[in-house]
Amino acid sequence: MDILYNIFIDPFVQMGNAPDFLLQVLWSGFVGGTLYSLIALGFVLIFKASGVFNFAQGIMVVFAALTLVGLYNLGLPAWLALIATIGVMALLAIGVERVVLRKLVNQPDIILFMATIGLTYFLIGLGESIFGGEPKKMITEELGLPSGSTSFEPFGGLVIIEHLDVAAVVMAIVLVTGLAIFFNKTRIGRALRAVADDHQAALSVGISLNQIWAIVWFAAGIVALATGIMWGAKSDVSFALQIVALKALPVLIIGGFTSIPGAIIGGLIIGFGEKLFEIYWGSLLGSGVEGWFAYVIALIFLLFRPQGLFGEKIIERI
Amino acid sequence: MGNRAGGGPLIRLQLKVLRDMANIVHAEGAAAAAGQAPVLSINNIEVIYDHVILVLKGVSLDVPQGGITALLGANGAGKTTTLKAVSNLLKAERGQVTKGSITFKGERVDTLNPNDLVRRGCIQVMEGRHCFGHLSVEENLLTGAFTRKDGQAAIANDLEMVYNYFPRLRERRNSQAGYTSGGEQQMCAIGRALMSKPTTILLDEPSMGLAPQLVEEIFEIVKALNDNEGVSFLLAEQNTNIALRYAKYGYILENGRVVMDGEAQALRDNEDVKEFYLGVSGENRRSFRNVKAYKRRKRWLA
Ligand SMILES: Nc1ncnc2c1ncn2[C@@H]1O[C@H](COP(=O)(O)OP(=O)(O)OP(=O)(O)O)[C@@H](O)[C@H]1O
Ligand SMILES: [Mg+2]
């Protein structure tokens, strides 16, 4: 009976007793969730437009952050380093399109997937050889990101909100809104959705797949850079970050590989879920729940809803 | 692999030469019929899929400026392959033009990309419509203008023109294309192609899966586009009957070869076409005991 009490009653009693602490936990889950969402978003962009399962998305996050910090350490001012990094991500997108996608078009998906694994190791090697492999500090202040925190006292308790976290959430919202406008209101965005719907038909109306792929990889690169900055600011910039980036996979399984809202909601579910679970149920299972929680949820989804929450509706109509 | 005509190499070669000569005559025939240089001309092309599957074995045809030209033939004859060879969509299907040439407005186009060709004014409406299901009807139409550089106003103008030809699309402009009816999707696909301001449309089986009334409606619009906008059509159809009513000239494709071509009226009056494509036949012709008909049947269905 004890165990049932510990699982089903005690955590909620704790939540009720210290609502301020619950709020704190929810906030940190929310912040983590938005960053997971961003990684997954980069992945969905590429998957929708080119059908490529981009194994390298996590590494692109690290690579972008590393390039930014590395260029700064080489003596560029922060803003110039940022612009140069955006340029590097653009070159990367064009390079991937030219060297990998264009050559392998029409090959089976598995070959393209392998190519992205190759790309992963290429980026790791490139990043290490240019900027060195040791962990670096993100140039948070230099980029004008806020530090410090504000405390609130709801329910007579204490909740501390870090300004950096607020910046991360704001940036995520701006990025997602920007992408949504780009997708829905612009000519290129429309073409991107067209390509995602039907490659052949897109070709037939004169949309250049090469151009679209390069743009999509670039967009994914920008998303990776934003994620890298925020995540790097919370820990350090090193290749260890890719472990976090790998969480995009369970996020995608939950949200569906083709859905942008799915990536966002999947990210938030994982973010909230793992924090709550770690804090309130973690002691039952030993600590370190955050490490595997996402994968267990993903497994459950695979069993009961393999297309994910928002797996694209296949419109069937003759 | 490939040529199943059999025989020794020499005989095959002779056959080929004869065929090429015949093809050249055909090509000249159509252009002459229209009385001017063709806008699109396919010269003796051979198409191979996956490096081994020979599908077109020397096809030649001409599409005159401002005409409607029909490309007829049964399932698997190679109509779609011919259109895709022109629009350069073949490459995306591991198909390749290995021989012959294709010229559009007097220029070789066989090495271009599909978008280059759309820019030059030649666009394909694919078999089975292929609308973008998750885009609205209007968004579908606008994707057709992707290659254009002549500004928002001109595009808005043409959108209005498309809505005038297809009033039904105006009604459904905000619906997701995937949820519109088959006829509306066909209209959407044609409208989308029109948005690229084409001079030539390669139209693949517009009648597929549609009720006869709707087929008639769509062909009327095609005719109107041809009359009013001067768009030339190369029309691939299994529905020989309707295609020959709207086309000026027709080619009949069998097993990757043009086996007959002529003015639409002449084809409609041809006994073989009547029997094997229009499904009308004289009294005795159904019987295999009629040797002449049997031989003819053998030739067609070989
Ligand atoms: N991608 C492909 N790979 C291999 N073979 C193909 C491919 N596409 C078509 N074929 C073959 O080429 C031949 C001609 O096909 P095509 O689609 O051009 O015929 P069609 O005249 O358009 O027929 P339908 O009236 O059924 O549309 C067929 O035998 C078909 O099996
Ligand atoms: Mg076909």
Side-chain angles (χ1 to χ4, degrees):
Chain A
M1 283 329 268
D2 241 16
I3 215 164
L4 288 183
Y5 176 80
N6 282 339
I7 294 176
F8 292 108
I9 314 266
D10 185 49
F12 298 103
V13 171
Q14 286 185 35
M15 288 180 203
N17 285 344
D20 57 327
F21 185 61
L22 177 63
L23 273 183
Q24 184 80 62
V25 171
L26 287 177
W27 168 250
S28 81
F30 178 61
V31 174
T34 49
L35 293 179
Y36 290 146
S37 302
L38 280 187
I39 298 181
L41 181 63
F43 192 103
V44 168
L45 286 178
I46 289 179
F47 190 78
K48 264 178 90 86
S50 56
V52 176
F53 185 102
N54 181 23
F55 189 78
Q57 186 67 33
I59 272 306
M60 280 166 63
V61 172
V62 184
F63 181 78
L66 198 61
T67 307
L68 177 62
V69 178
L71 289 175
Y72 177 77
N73 290 346
L74 288 178
L76 292 185
W79 62 272
L80 198 58
L82 183 64
I83 291 174
T85 307
I86 293 174
V88 168
M89 296 320 277
L91 286 181
L92 178 68
I94 294 169
V96 166
E97 191 278 311
R98 285 279 153 81
V99 178
V100 183
L101 298 178
R102 194 176 290 189
K103 299 282 182 271
L104 296 181
V105 66
N106 289 328
Q107 298 296 325
D109 292 347
I110 188 73
I111 295 197
L112 281 159
F113 173 60
M114 306 277 258
T116 68
I117 295 183
L119 180 64
T120 305
Y121 288 100
F122 171 74
L123 288 179
I124 293 178
L126 187 68
E128 278 189 346
S129 66
I130 299 179
F131 304 114
E134 71 283 359
K136 295 182 177 51
K137 263 189 71 61
M138 177 48 68
I139 46 171
T140 321
E141 279 166 35
E142 293 84 342
L143 287 171
L145 290 170
S147 54
S149 58
T150 305
S151 11
F152 296 90
E153 294 174 11
F155 314 110
L158 180 69
V159 176
I160 299 172
I161 306 271
E162 302 243 2
H163 294 169
L164 185 67
D165 287 349
V166 177
V169 170
V170 168
M171 187 208 59
I173 291 172
V174 167
L175 207 56
V176 168
T177 315
L179 281 174
I181 292 172
F182 173 64
F183 267 95
N184 288 307
K185 300 284 178 230
T186 66
R187 163 178 165 274
I188 297 279
R190 195 160 52 223
L192 274 163
R193 285 184 296 139
V195 170
D197 252 10
D198 190 331
H199 279 202
Q200 272 232 319
L203 268 179
S204 84
V205 297
I207 294 171
S208 154
L209 291 188
N210 300 331
Q211 186 191 355
I212 294 298
W213 285 337
I215 289 172
V216 156
W217 277 74
F218 179 53
I222 295 295
V223 172
L225 173 61
T227 324
I229 291 174
M230 286 308 169
W231 221 306
K234 289 165 75 70
S235 55
D236 270 336
V237 180
S238 77
F239 284 100
L241 267 185
Q242 64 170 307
I243 299 291
V244 187
L246 263 188
K247 287 228 178 97
L249 191 61
V251 168
L252 290 165
I253 290 172
I254 292 172
F257 280 76
T258 52
S259 163
I260 288 173
I264 293 167
I265 293 185
L268 292 178
I269 288 178
I270 296 287
F272 281 124
E274 69 178 18
K275 270 287 182 297
L276 285 173
F277 215 75
E278 167 87 29
I279 301 289
Y280 292 102
W281 283 270
S283 58
L284 292 174
L285 299 155
S287 54
V289 177
E290 270 190 292
W292 51 260
F293 176 81
Y295 297 94
V296 172
I297 298 289
L299 207 62
I300 294 170
F301 262 84
L302 278 182
L303 291 175
F304 296 105
R305 204 180 154 80
Q307 76 273 38
L309 283 176
F310 294 81
E312 194 144 82
K313 256 194 280 178
I314 296 170
I315 300 180
E316 271 187 63
R317 193 104 224 195
I318 309 274
Chain B
M1 288 295 329
N3 202 331
R4 261 176 290 152
L10 191 62
I11 297 178
R12 261 210 305 269
L13 185 68
Q14 283 174 338
L15 276 174
K16 206 178 130 0
V17 169
L18 280 174
R19 209 157 58 224
D20 293 353
M21 281 165 58
N23 281 330
I24 289 163
V25 173
H26 285 162
E28 281 167 356
Q36 55 190 318
V39 62
L40 171 70
S41 139
I42 301 175
N43 305 302
N44 198 23
I45 57 165
E46 198 173 271
V47 168
I48 294 184
Y49 280 113
D50 275 328
H51 300 295
V52 284
I53 309 166
L54 178 68
V55 172
L56 294 190
K57 305 156 188 169
V59 168
S60 297
L61 58 85
D62 278 350
V63 178
Q65 178 80 48
I68 300 179
T69 305
L71 183 58
L72 307 165
N75 279 114
K79 306 181 292 295
T80 300
T81 304
T82 308
L83 298 198
K84 285 187 173 169
V86 176
S87 61
N88 283 305
L89 288 174
L90 266 188
K91 284 175 217 149
E93 282 191 53
R94 285 187 260 180
Q96 217 184 344
V97 179
T98 50
K99 251 185 225 165
S101 67
I102 299 169
T103 56
F104 179 69
K105 291 186 180 160
E107 288 175 63
R108 287 283 293 258
V109 292
D110 13 347
T111 55
L112 297 181
N113 288 323
N115 51 324
D116 293 325
L117 211 69
V118 172
R119 245 179 227 121
R120 289 175 190 218
C122 178
I123 190 167
Q124 175 165 4
V125 176
M126 292 204 290
E127 182 178 334
R129 276 81 83 167
H130 284 269
C131 293
F132 302 117
H134 295 91
L135 272 60
S136 72
V137 167
E138 184 151 311
E139 286 176 327
N140 264 275
L141 296 178
L142 289 173
T143 57
F146 185 80
T147 51
R148 286 172 62 169
K149 301 259 186 284
D150 54 353
Q152 291 299 317
I155 290 173
N157 237 355
D158 283 356
L159 189 63
E160 199 50 35
M161 183 261 297
V162 169
Y163 282 143
N164 287 339
Y165 278 103
F166 301 100
R168 283 215 224 182
L169 293 185
R170 193 195 299 273
E171 286 164 32
R172 307 296 313 263
R173 64 201 292 173
N174 294 319
S175 317
Q176 264 198 1
Y179 290 115
T180 58
S181 76
E184 286 157 353
Q185 289 189 12
Q186 185 64 63
M187 295 177 186
C188 180
I190 297 175
R192 185 175 67 184
L194 278 174
M195 288 301 292
S196 72
K197 243 182 168 10
T199 54
T200 304
I201 294 181
L202 312 168
L203 184 53
D204 201 354
E205 305 228 20
S207 75
M208 192 165 134
L210 300 183
Q213 229 176 335
L214 210 52
V215 173
E216 204 75 41
E217 188 179 333
I218 283 174
F219 271 84
E220 278 301 326
I221 296 171
V222 166
K223 184 169 166 347
L225 287 169
N226 178 249
D227 288 343
N228 308 337
E229 313 294 328
V231 181
S232 319
F233 283 88
L234 176 57
L235 169 70
E237 259 299 347
Q238 279 192 40
N239 188 334
T240 310
N241 189 10
I242 190 146
L244 286 182
R245 271 200 287 122
Y246 285 90
K248 292 196 185 94
Y249 201 88
Y251 293 83
I252 297 178
L253 211 55
E254 288 274 338
N255 273 318
R257 294 195 175 92
V258 174
V259 291
M260 182 184 279
D261 70 301
E263 294 287 330
Q265 189 56 49
L267 287 179
R268 292 216 289 165
D269 294 338
N270 181 292
E271 290 301 318
D272 292 335
V273 176
K274 269 189 193 164
E275 179 169 2
F276 297 113
Y277 286 95
L278 294 172
V280 288
S281 58
E283 300 234 322
N284 310 321
R285 206 163 282 126
R286 285 263 169 251
S287 157
F288 279 102
R289 264 166 279 162
N290 183 325
V291 177
K292 206 172 134 213
Y294 175 66
K295 272 191 184 153
R296 199 189 279 134
R297 184 187 291 267
K298 233 175 93 180
R299 179 164 73 77
W300 280 104
L301 299 182

